[in-house]
Amino acid sequence: AAPLSMGLLTKAGPPAWHPASPALKEACAMAAKVCGSRGVNISSLAVMYSLSQPQLGCTLLGMKDVRQVDIAADLAVRFCGVNFNVVSNSNERCNMHHHSDNGAILDQVLTRRERMALIELLDPNSGPFATVSSNGLHRWDGKHEARKFWLLVDGLKKDIADNERKR
């Protein structure tokens, strides 16, 4: 997993060329503001959310300086001793983490402020991702962009072949 989603889940936001939809970029910017208003770092929350997913075998982070390495290491240390075999039975946890059943894992590492920010972010009715989740704009896996690229390549190949036949 790439928990920062190429900058989407950072305070600074993604680069201009990011392939996500404008709606998803705006939802992520709103999420960063929600986290900031609660004194929570959205990037740290995203990393911990990703690390709490036992089904993910690997979490990849890009770090530009030693400070970011230290922050990532501090977040990883919070998972030392975490029981990844626990299952959440609480309705609050299930609602809080409707995408997966990792609430019990997160309960072991999140502070109260982080937990409250996550609840607000994941609220399916009023959270910053509610609209993009309901209309499918939350996905930006690149498949659509790759498909457009290959259609363009196929079109260019056809144009070249047509031009060669005309000679």
Side-chain angles (χ1 to χ4, degrees):
L4 304 183
S5 299
M6 292 174 27
L8 280 174
L9 297 174
T10 64
K11 186 177 177 181
W17 51 261
H18 196 287
S21 69
L24 180 55
K25 289 178 184 179
E26 178 59 31
C28 290
M30 289 177 15
K33 288 178 185 172
V34 166
C35 287
S37 73
R38 291 187 171 275
V40 172
N41 181 308
I42 189 168
S43 299
S44 295
L45 190 59
V47 168
M48 288 186 290
Y49 188 85
S50 182
L51 290 173
S52 75
Q53 307 288 321
Q55 71 275 19
L56 297 178
C58 182
T59 298
L60 299 175
L61 296 173
M63 294 165 268
K64 65 181 179 183
D65 56 39
V66 174
R67 187 181 71 74
Q68 288 185 351
V69 173
D70 289 340
I71 291 169
D74 289 343
L75 293 174
V77 166
R78 288 169 72 172
F79 283 83
C80 290
V82 165
N83 180 358
F84 283 90
N85 296 315
V86 296
V87 177
S88 173
N89 292 320
S90 162
N91 283 336
E92 177 185 324
R93 289 184 192 136
C94 290
N95 289 336
M96 178 170 103
H97 311 292
H98 64 282
H99 293 294
S100 65
D101 192 25
N102 65 344
I105 294 168
L106 285 170
D107 281 346
Q108 298 174 67
V109 296
L110 295 181
T111 66
R112 176 163 173 68
R113 282 190 317 194
E114 291 165 341
R115 189 174 299 108
M116 297 310 292
L118 186 60
I119 289 169
E120 189 172 345
L121 296 181
L122 296 181
D123 186 299
N125 300 311
S126 63
F129 300 106
T131 302
V132 293
S133 291
S134 66
N135 63 22
L137 293 174
H138 64 290
R139 301 214 181 269
W140 65 271
D141 57 15
K143 289 180 185 176
H144 179 72
E145 295 300 318
R147 193 173 6 256
K148 285 187 344 188
F149 171 79
W150 288 113
L151 287 172
L152 177 64
V153 168
D154 289 343
L156 291 173
K157 285 180 182 178
K158 183 180 177 291
D159 290 347
I160 290 170
D162 289 347
N163 286 336
E164 287 180 6
R165 271 184 260 150
K166 291 178 183 176
R167 290 183 192 190

